[in-house]
Amino acid sequence: MKLLEYEAKHLLASANIQTPRSFIVDVNSLPSFLPVVLKSQVPIGGRGKAGGIAVVYTSEEYTLNTSRILSLDIKGFTPKQLLAEELINIERELYLSLLIDRRSASIILMAHTNGGVEIEENHVDDFLRCSLTDKNLLAAGEQLAEYFDLPEKSFVLQDLVKNLYACMIKNDATLLEINPLILTKDGEIVAGDCKMELDDAAAFRHPEWNFEDEAAEVNFVTLDNQGTVATIANGAGLAMATVDAVADAGLVPANFLDIGGGANESSVLAAFKRIMEYPNIDAIIINIFAGITRCDEIAKAIIAARTQINALPPLYIRLAGTNFEQAVELLTAEQITTLSTLESCIEAVKTKGKS
Amino acid sequence: MKSSLLTAQNVIIQGITGAHGAFHAQAMKNSGTGIVAGTSPNKAGQFIDTIPVYNSIKDIQKDFTVDISVIFVPPAFAKSAIIEAISAKIPLIVCITEGIPIHDMLQIKQHLEKGSSTLIGPNCPGVLIPGNNKLGIIPAHLSLPGSVGLVSRSGTLTYEAMDGLTRRNIGQRYIVGIGGDRIPGTSFIDTLALFESDPTVEQIVMIGEIGGTSEIEAADYIHQHVTKPVYAYVTGHHAPEGVQLGHAGAILGSADESAVAKTQYLAQCNVHTANSITQLVKMIPA
């Protein structure tokens, strides 16, 4: 789950990491203070270049820019929130992030002396990288002070590393990026912007999570709104493979859908309803290879979809695996036939197109 | 990874009284796997089918030597279950559970480093040795004993490839699902090393996914160490690009993690590559 800046900064502040003084814009109220920098809250980078950030000094500028930014389209996202922050006298813009490295299965810290929007222009080998454990945080902070050439900030940076690490663990974060990390003219270290990603799998131990996750829903993805073949599959791998096979056959897949392990009748029925929103669908391929999922549950959903949804396009059904026999029994009773492979489904769709 | 690790006989199920655990314990037993017992906290004395339930692995070990544990415990308790198995020095742990938090996996990895266990998974369908062991949820009736070593990150595509091979009358020696999580217990490389060293394996099939660099590392390994023919498909050629948050990922992993890039890299490393699962199954010589 990708957090918006204001949500991420709230978590930083709770972990005793310094963030700019701020408020969330309420269009019906006067600003709490001025001047401020107005920052659109969107789950994507490049908002500054899209006009989503403005420095305002007067109430007139504030009102004008607030309504302008709130109606922007920033790479497909309209900001729902606007964060207003105090202006900061910047001495230096640094870069600092903590993330999980798959290869070493550890949390690593990355830093660069040249932070800001052009961070990726820096050579990858110039970044400071060190693996963090709960035992080397102070040493890492000291190393960071040396790398930033801020020996007088050694204690501050030790605290920062310690607090960031604690924030990452406590919130089950998989990414915590502060860019820029600002050294102010007054010698303070402040988080200028923050990108934070939390592990959805850990939601069960975070009843407090209540974020605006606009980028969510990875299980159902529209590939082509005008596509003619809709797909329903189980497991991300099989769902991608189904889309690959449809496209490879010269057909146009409309969507990717992984109904997941342990899918049941109601979740599959909901998927059918979403597919019906596409205008050009003339075939639905259902490709289920059940391990943990049970084919009979899918069969029940298919039967329910046939009775509940009007003008359902032809279904090309391939079921295999757990409880396959029970599923075939249910479907046969409703005169619904199945095919034995994905390939035969695709062939059937193509043949139908020609006839 | 040694073959004897996967073919060992005394198997237990952690989380045997849950719906998935009970269902698949029976399926495993029915296909001839030597299930001796299962665990479930506070349910000692019960039986699932004819399999006795114990409170803990320690209790089971008073009555049996345990070679393998297959875990069906829900994600919230999976970390403790895996650590329990590592502490009990069980040689092979196969974790089917999907949805274990990544920070839990970081801790599990540290325990694995200190201990002597091998972990396959989590978020995987497990291992199937046709005619021998079924350690997990791979549907055994669709397999056929033979000489293909199949390794896959994707559960359902494991079944798909196995089924396709069986339909073509091409048998399989090992089917190993290593799981799709960002931090897996066992990598492609561990499994490829087994396939290369085991004389009963003649052909290798590998199924990857978009994301991460494990297919690239596997390709390098194949190039340097594998002499047997390898056939690969990386799924997600037409997957939409994910929106990357921040810059850290791009800075850390400068390699291209798309299916197309990985497929090209595998091809450069003398791997026979396919663009779809049906093509993969067709290209393997009978």
Side-chain angles (χ1 to χ4, degrees):
Chain A
M1 179 166 37
K2 294 164 182 173
L3 299 194
L4 295 172
E5 178 189 8
Y6 81 96
E7 296 168 327
K9 281 181 165 167
H10 179 71
L11 293 180
L12 288 186
S14 308
N16 296 317
I17 294 156
Q18 201 174 336
T19 56
R21 194 158 65 98
S22 69
F23 60 92
I24 294 289
V25 171
D26 175 353
V27 288
N28 300 314
S29 310
L30 293 170
S32 309
F33 58 84
L34 285 172
V36 293
V37 52
L38 295 171
K39 303 165 92 176
S40 54
Q41 300 294 290
V42 282
I44 198 160
R47 62 183 174 174
K49 284 171 190 160
I53 294 179
V55 178
V56 298
Y57 294 89
T58 65
S59 307
E60 291 75 35
E61 286 176 356
Y62 177 85
T63 315
L64 222 68
N65 281 284
T66 300
S67 56
R68 178 183 64 80
I69 296 177
L70 282 173
S71 59
L72 278 180
D73 180 322
I74 302 173
K75 297 182 183 173
F77 295 97
T78 302
K80 289 198 183 124
Q81 302 282 6
L82 204 47
L83 177 67
E85 287 187 339
E86 63 176 321
L87 301 189
I88 291 174
N89 289 315
I90 298 170
E91 176 70 28
R92 286 174 66 191
E93 288 195 326
L94 308 162
Y95 173 90
L96 180 63
S97 64
L98 264 58
L99 76 159
I100 292 173
D101 179 32
R102 289 179 175 207
R103 217 182 282 213
S104 61
S106 67
I107 296 174
I108 63 166
L109 173 152
M110 292 200 302
H112 202 284
T113 49
N114 186 19
V117 288
E118 306 297 335
I119 185 69
E120 285 185 44
E121 302 298 312
N122 296 306
H123 196 277
V124 288
D125 294 335
D126 293 342
F127 284 79
L128 171 73
R129 288 176 200 206
C130 65
S131 186
L132 293 184
T133 68
D134 48 8
K135 294 184 183 65
N136 73 351
L137 300 173
L138 297 184
E142 208 170 300
Q143 200 181 345
L144 191 60
E146 199 175 302
Y147 172 79
F148 283 156
D149 193 24
L150 293 169
E152 73 284 7
K153 296 287 168 210
S154 186
F155 289 135
V156 177
L157 289 169
Q158 281 181 338
D159 272 349
L160 179 64
V161 172
K162 206 176 70 188
N163 292 339
L164 279 174
Y165 184 83
C167 183
M168 183 137 179
I169 302 280
K170 185 182 170 214
N171 294 298
D172 271 295
T174 52
L175 168 72
L176 210 167
E177 180 179 74
I178 300 178
N179 183 38
L181 177 70
I182 298 170
L183 173 68
T184 69
K185 293 214 184 289
D186 300 331
E188 299 209 74
I189 303 261
V190 181
D193 189 4
C194 181
K195 303 264 194 298
M196 204 184 291
E197 197 163 335
L198 308 183
D199 182 2
D200 294 302
F204 65 80
R205 59 185 172 217
H206 293 282
E208 79 282 8
W209 281 1
N210 178 25
F211 301 109
E212 303 185 25
D213 190 13
E214 293 185 44
E217 267 212 287
V218 289
N219 294 340
F220 192 114
V221 181
T222 295
L223 300 169
D224 185 342
N225 209 17
Q226 302 299 314
T228 55
V229 181
T231 67
I232 297 178
N234 68 317
L238 188 63
M240 284 191 280
T242 305
V243 167
D244 281 355
V246 169
D248 213 40
L251 299 162
V252 186
N255 74 306
F256 159 94
L257 169 59
D258 165 18
I259 56 169
N264 57 30
E265 185 180 330
S266 69
S267 63
V268 179
L269 195 56
F272 272 109
K273 289 181 177 158
R274 285 200 58 179
I275 284 170
M276 293 307 290
E277 291 169 16
Y278 297 121
N280 300 334
I281 299 298
D282 55 26
I284 301 177
I285 292 181
I286 300 163
N287 187 21
I288 304 294
F289 214 130
I292 242 157
T293 306
R294 300 181 190 179
C295 288
D296 51 331
E297 283 289 322
I298 308 294
K300 284 179 201 161
I302 292 169
I303 293 164
R306 289 241 306 200
T307 51
Q308 292 180 27
I309 298 172
N310 286 329
L312 192 69
L315 307 178
Y316 298 84
I317 306 164
R318 181 288 183 102
L319 299 174
T322 310
N323 287 3
F324 167 73
E325 291 80 9
Q326 290 92 317
V328 169
E329 209 170 293
L330 288 170
L331 292 173
T332 308
E334 299 289 324
Q335 281 101 43
I336 301 170
T337 55
T338 60
L339 294 159
S340 59
T341 62
L342 169 61
E343 199 180 3
S344 48
C345 288
I346 290 171
E347 276 310 310
V349 175
K350 282 174 78 175
T351 316
K352 170 189 145 279
K354 279 175 202 146
S355 64
Chain B
M1 192 158 47
K2 286 212 172 75
S3 175
S4 56
L5 202 61
L6 304 177
T7 54
Q9 274 309 298
N10 284 7
V11 181
I12 63 164
I13 308 286
Q14 285 174 266
I16 195 165
T17 57
H20 295 313
F23 182 84
H24 288 286
Q26 286 174 25
M28 286 164 66
K29 193 160 174 274
N30 293 344
S31 57
T33 305
I35 311 282
V36 295
T39 65
S40 185
N42 307 318
K43 297 207 173 138
Q46 294 187 8
F47 288 85
I48 294 294
D49 199 2
T50 56
I51 308 162
V53 180
Y54 291 70
N55 283 336
S56 69
I57 298 178
K58 270 212 166 75
D59 288 350
I60 295 178
Q61 285 173 322
K62 289 173 192 158
D63 295 341
F64 301 99
T65 306
V66 180
D67 301 316
I68 298 169
S69 176
V70 184
I71 300 180
F72 288 92
V73 167
F77 309 102
K79 181 180 83 178
S80 346
I82 294 172
I83 292 172
E84 183 190 359
I86 298 169
S87 309
K89 299 190 165 41
I90 296 181
L92 177 66
I93 304 163
V94 179
C95 184
I96 309 303
T97 309
E98 176 180 359
I100 300 181
I102 197 161
H103 281 279
D104 290 3
M105 270 315 290
L106 295 182
Q107 291 179 33
I108 290 163
K109 279 292 223 184
Q110 286 175 11
H111 284 269
L112 284 169
E113 262 172 46
K114 286 182 230 147
S116 56
S117 305
T118 296
L119 171 68
I120 294 178
N123 187 18
C124 79
V127 178
L128 178 68
I129 304 172
N132 182 302
N133 257 354
K134 169 176 155 92
L135 309 169
I137 61 175
I138 301 175
H141 66 280
L142 300 169
S143 67
L144 178 74
S147 62
V148 166
L150 169 64
V151 58
S152 169
R153 268 175 75 190
S154 152
T156 41
L157 282 185
T158 311
Y159 315 154
E160 189 71 60
M162 172 183 74
D163 183 49
L165 289 172
T166 299
R167 281 170 191 280
R168 291 195 53 214
N169 211 26
I170 301 171
Q172 311 98 39
R173 171 63 180 148
Y174 299 104
I175 298 155
V176 183
I178 55 172
D181 274 7
R182 286 200 273 183
I183 298 186
T186 292
S187 67
F188 276 124
I189 293 175
D190 303 323
T191 317
L192 290 167
L194 165 70
F195 293 170
E196 175 64 16
S197 66
D198 187 326
T200 61
V201 173
E202 288 169 12
Q203 304 182 94
I204 298 171
V205 177
M206 176 182 149
I207 300 169
E209 287 183 0
I210 50 168
T213 54
S214 60
E215 291 80 3
I216 303 289
E217 288 143 35
D220 287 333
Y221 182 85
I222 292 165
H223 193 55
Q224 287 161 20
H225 301 286
V226 177
T227 56
K228 297 173 184 176
V230 182
Y231 303 86
Y233 164 57
V234 181
T235 186
H237 285 246
H238 300 273
E241 273 181 54
V243 180
Q244 180 134 37
L245 187 71
H247 305 280
I251 294 161
L252 181 71
S254 39
D256 189 343
E257 298 182 359
S258 72
V260 173
K262 287 182 186 183
T263 303
Q264 283 168 356
Y265 194 82
L266 282 159
Q268 284 167 24
C269 294
N270 301 328
V271 174
H272 306 277
T273 57
N275 292 325
S276 71
I277 188 74
T278 44
Q279 194 193 347
L280 175 75
V281 170
K282 274 188 203 159
M283 75 197 292
I284 296 154

